[in-house]
């Protein structure tokens, strides 16, 4: 039989022990939690977190066409905003579209079909060519907010347009007849003028704000190469820049020539220069031959150089089936980086920072170069 006094003593000792254990646990646990919190804070501080506003962490919003048919994208207003055109019967509309928010703004509407839309290099202006008639063009310049700042009707079957990257109120335009006779003009938006130019070749580029560069082809002695010539916009002071050039292009403060070395006929040699024609770097890619010349793959300028397509090997263009690499090339060094494999050689238009490019024959795809993604830009009609 258990003694009651002993039982009470046992219960009292058990109660005291439980209280003692509770007090110990209560004192130790907060200290342990604080140490764990410090460790967690140190871990969080050591792990870099991407800012939520970085474009690389945002999802692309697909364009949804509610009325009409997507005619094509036209270029970049900023790193996150593009311009695209919709045809709706005989009418056309131009929209500004924000890739990451999906917001869009109607910039311009025409009762006639819009034949072309060209965005200025910094996205300040947009030149629109609509077609009231077969041999008539209505030229309209709007600001990026849609405000019309210049309008003029001129005759022509087709046109070539070159914005001045040094002075965006200045545009070179060549108007062609069906027989490819041409008339060059200079548009000054600020002055509101359209003046005919004295220029021997229609496909000229801007060497600086007051000079043009062109290939001086000899119509009486056809050749694959021509001298590169610089002249003032007034049509005088011609200067020979380089001999035996197949093709060239120019951006602000940079020039690129393409030729074929005599000892490497299966290669296209690209050379970068500054606008004083001092060579910066060069690189080569295999080229594809055509019936009478060579195929130059599509490319566009970026702040660091160009992004272009290159074939894997040299061959006849209509027999080639190797696909294209999309590469970026540094204009200062000529260094190449392969961005994508097995691409189609198609028109390309890159954002001002070069981190995204529109591509496709309607610029309907979006290449995110930093994410290594290709995204269909346009969804199904709603």
């Amino acid at each position: 039989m258990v003694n009651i006094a002993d039982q009470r003593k046992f219960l009292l000792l058990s109660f005291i022990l439980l209280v003692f254990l509770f007090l110990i646990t209560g004192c130790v646990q907060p200290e342990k939690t604080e140490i764990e919190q410090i460790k967690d804070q140190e871990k969080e501080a050591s792990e870099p977190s991407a800012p939520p506003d970085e474009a690389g962490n945002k999802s692309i919003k697909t364009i949804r066409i509610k009325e009409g048919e997507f005619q094509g994208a036209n270029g970049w207003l900023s790193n996150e905003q593009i311009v695209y055109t919709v045809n709706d019967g005989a009418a056309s509309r131009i929209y500004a579209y924000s890739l990451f928010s999906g917001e869009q703004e109607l910039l311009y509407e025409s009762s006639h079909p819009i034949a072309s839309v060209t965005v200025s290099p910094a996205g300040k202006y947009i030149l629109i060519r609509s077609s009231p008639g077969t041999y008539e063009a209505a030229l309209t310049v709007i600001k990026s907010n849609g405000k019309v700042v210049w309008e003029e009707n001129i005759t022509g079957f087709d046109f070539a347009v070159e914005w001045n990257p040094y002075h965006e109120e200045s545009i070179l335009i060549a108007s062609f007849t069906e027989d490819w006779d041409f008339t060059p003009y200079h548009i000054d938006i600020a002055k509101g003028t359209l003046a005919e130019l004295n220029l021997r070749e229609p496909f000229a580029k801007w060497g600086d704000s007051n000079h043009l560069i062109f290939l001086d082809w000899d119509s009486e002695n056809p050749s694959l190469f021509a001298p590169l010539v610089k002249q003032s916009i007034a049509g005088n002071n011609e200067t020979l820049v380089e001999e035996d050039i197949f093709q060239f292009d120019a951006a602000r403060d940079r020039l690129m020539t393409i030729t074929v070395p005599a000892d490497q006929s299966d290669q296209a040699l690209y050379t970068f220069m500054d606008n004083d024609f001092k060579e910066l770097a060069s690189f080569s890619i295999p080229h594809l031959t055509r019936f009478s010349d060579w195929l130059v793959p599509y490319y566009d300028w970026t702040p660091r150089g160009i992004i272009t397509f290159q074939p894997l090997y040299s061959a006849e263009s209509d027999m080639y089936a190797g696909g294209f690499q999309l590469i970026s090339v540094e204009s200062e060094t000529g260094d190449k980086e392969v961005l994508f494999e097995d691409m189609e050689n198609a028109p390309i238009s890159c954002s001002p920072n070069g981190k995204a490019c529109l591509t496709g024959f309607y610029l309907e795809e979006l290449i995110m170069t930093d994410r290594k993604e290709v995204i269909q830009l346009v969804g199904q009609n709603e």
Side-chain angles (χ1 to χ4, degrees):
M1 190 172 180
V2 180
N3 187 290
I4 295 177
D6 291 338
Q7 187 178 23
R8 287 179 177 175
K9 181 190 259 186
F10 175 77
L11 291 173
L12 179 61
L13 288 172
S14 298
F15 176 76
I16 292 171
L17 181 60
L18 287 171
V19 171
F20 180 72
L21 290 173
F22 177 78
L23 290 174
I24 291 175
T25 306
C27 293
V28 172
Q29 188 63 34
E31 183 178 357
K32 183 179 179 182
T33 302
E34 185 176 351
I35 292 171
E36 289 176 348
Q37 286 177 347
I38 292 171
K39 287 183 178 179
D40 289 342
Q41 289 172 359
E42 290 175 347
K43 183 179 180 181
E44 289 174 2
S46 66
E47 294 176 355
S49 59
D53 291 333
E54 286 293 325
N57 297 320
K58 296 179 182 178
S59 60
I60 302 299
K61 305 296 184 183
T62 304
I63 297 173
R64 301 288 178 178
I65 308 297
K66 295 182 179 180
E67 295 180 356
E69 183 179 355
F70 179 79
Q71 183 184 10
N74 310 113
W76 297 82
L77 294 178
S78 69
N79 291 320
E80 299 188 2
Q81 194 174 41
I82 66 167
V83 175
Y84 74 91
T85 305
V86 169
N87 282 343
D88 192 0
S92 297
R93 296 185 296 273
I94 298 173
Y95 293 92
Y97 185 77
S98 296
L99 294 171
F100 302 107
S101 69
E103 294 179 359
Q104 68 178 20
E105 178 187 358
L106 177 63
L107 298 180
Y108 185 80
E109 189 167 9
S110 172
S111 58
H112 304 293
I114 290 178
S116 67
V117 178
T118 311
V119 183
S120 66
K124 186 177 180 180
Y125 296 105
I126 303 168
L127 175 63
I128 303 158
R129 176 167 64 91
S130 55
S131 302
T134 305
Y135 302 103
E136 184 181 7
L139 302 180
T140 305
V141 177
I142 64 173
K143 284 189 173 182
S144 58
N145 61 6
K147 180 182 178 182
V148 176
V149 293
W150 184 86
E151 291 180 291
E152 188 78 37
N153 281 24
I154 64 175
T155 57
F157 178 75
D158 202 356
F159 296 83
V161 176
E162 283 295 327
W163 283 95
N164 188 336
Y166 304 90
H167 182 60
E168 289 197 71
E169 283 73 22
S170 177
I171 312 171
L172 172 67
I173 186 167
S175 169
F176 294 91
T177 67
E178 280 188 293
D179 297 326
W180 297 111
D181 293 328
F182 71 95
T183 304
Y185 298 95
H186 177 232
I187 299 172
D188 190 318
I189 298 170
K191 295 179 181 178
T193 58
L194 174 71
E196 191 171 330
L197 291 178
N198 179 20
L199 186 64
R200 293 200 304 275
E201 294 293 335
F203 300 108
K205 307 285 184 179
W206 293 92
D208 56 42
S209 59
N210 295 305
H211 290 85
L212 300 170
I213 307 172
F214 60 92
L215 288 174
D216 192 14
W217 297 102
D218 186 347
S219 58
E220 296 183 359
N221 297 290
S223 172
L224 291 174
F225 305 98
L228 187 64
V229 174
K230 175 183 177 180
Q231 75 165 52
S232 70
I233 196 169
N236 50 29
N237 300 324
E238 286 192 8
T239 305
L240 175 65
V241 175
E242 195 81 20
E243 295 275 11
D244 298 329
I245 301 301
F246 175 66
Q247 191 168 309
F248 82 104
D249 199 2
R252 185 181 177 93
D253 298 325
R254 289 174 296 170
L255 174 71
M256 180 180 73
T257 62
I258 304 173
T259 191
V260 179
D263 58 345
Q264 288 184 301
S265 59
D266 63 340
Q267 297 288 307
L269 176 64
Y270 292 63
T271 302
F272 294 109
M273 305 179 192
D274 61 22
N275 60 351
D276 291 322
F277 310 117
K278 178 183 176 181
E279 183 174 333
L280 300 173
S282 63
F283 71 98
S284 295
I285 66 171
H287 64 195
L288 304 178
T289 59
R290 298 191 294 194
F291 176 73
S292 59
D293 60 2
W294 300 279
L295 172 72
V296 175
Y298 291 102
Y299 64 88
D300 196 18
W301 291 94
T302 70
R304 300 176 64 179
I306 64 168
I307 288 180
T308 186
F309 297 95
Q310 73 168 3
L312 302 183
Y313 54 86
S314 182
E316 294 182 12
S317 61
D318 57 353
M319 300 293 290
Y320 179 74
F324 290 80
Q325 294 174 324
L326 183 67
I327 62 172
S328 66
V329 187
E330 302 265 352
S331 60
E332 295 287 337
T333 64
D335 292 341
K336 294 193 290 186
E337 177 188 358
V338 177
L339 302 175
F340 290 88
E341 300 278 0
D342 196 25
M343 299 287 285
E344 181 182 9
N345 178 39
I348 188 167
S349 171
C350 296
S351 61
N353 63 11
K355 293 184 178 181
C357 298
L358 299 166
T359 190
F361 289 94
Y362 300 95
L363 298 181
E364 73 280 8
E365 294 182 339
L366 182 67
I367 299 172
M368 304 298 291
T369 60
D370 50 352
R371 301 186 199 177
K372 299 294 189 286
E373 284 184 276
V374 180
I375 302 164
Q376 290 296 322
L377 191 58
V378 185
Q380 296 296 321
N381 287 14
E382 294 184 350

